[in-house]
């Protein structure tokens, strides 16, 4: 293995600290699918809590709606959340809502929510800033989220020496 500096200057001479072959990135996390944290009452600023916390980035939240959104709204939802953002199954029409850091700038028809990743709390809008989920039974769903992390998962190098389950062709 050889590295050659071909051109340019540097303030501090480059130093290779280590080469780590056969390593892999790992995350201490559990994946949760299709968790129902509650039912919307149709009221303002509703708060629901995920069963596990902290919630790692990348969660997906859906609300069961009584009918498909109008075509223009569908296009906006799909543009923001992807082609699979509206799901029709045997339980109804599930529409993925968009996470936002706060409700500032959100309008009454914006399907947005605020997630507190530490507590796992999901807060919906008040009807003026952020849409209120329609009232229904078990109609709020965290279709996908990961929970975990922290010091409990940290392990020093060389500490993990055995796989939990076997993987074909891997020793």
């Amino acid at each position: 293995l050889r590295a050659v500096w071909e051109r340019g200057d540097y303030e501090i001479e480059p130093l290779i600290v280590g080469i780590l072959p056969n390593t892999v990135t790992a995350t201490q996390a559990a994946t949760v699918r299709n968790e129902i944290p509650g039912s919307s009452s149709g009221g303002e600023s509703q708060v629901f809590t995920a069963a596990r916390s902290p919630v790692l980035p990348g969660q997906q939240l859906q609300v069961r709606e009584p009918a498909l959104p109008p075509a223009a709204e569908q296009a906006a939802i799909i543009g923001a959340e992807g082609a699979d953002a509206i799901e029709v199954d045997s339980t109804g029409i599930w529409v993925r809502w968009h996470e936002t850091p706060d409700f500032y700038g959100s309008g009454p028809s914006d399907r947005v929510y605020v997630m507190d990743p530490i507590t796992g709390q999901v807060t919906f809008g008040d009807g003026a800033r952020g849409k209120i989920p329609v009232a229904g039974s078990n109609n709020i769903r965290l279709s996908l989220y990961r929970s975990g992390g922290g010091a409990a998962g940290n392990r020093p190098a060389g500490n993990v020496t055995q796989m939990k389950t076997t993987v074909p062709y891997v020793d």
Side-chain angles (χ1 to χ4, degrees), residues 27-35 50-60 142-149:
T27 303
Q28 177 221 351
T31 301
V32 181
R33 295 182 188 278
N34 297 326
E35 178 183 301
R52 300 179 72 137
S53 62
V55 174
L56 301 177
Q59 80 282 347
Q60 294 179 359
L142 282 161
S143 58
L144 174 69
Y145 74 97
R146 295 175 61 227
S147 176

Side-chain angles (χ1 to χ4, degrees), residues 51-73:
R52 300 179 72 137
S53 62
V55 174
L56 301 177
Q59 80 282 347
Q60 294 179 359
L61 182 135
Q62 297 174 313
V63 175
R64 186 173 51 223
E65 299 190 6
L68 283 169
E73 288 182 28

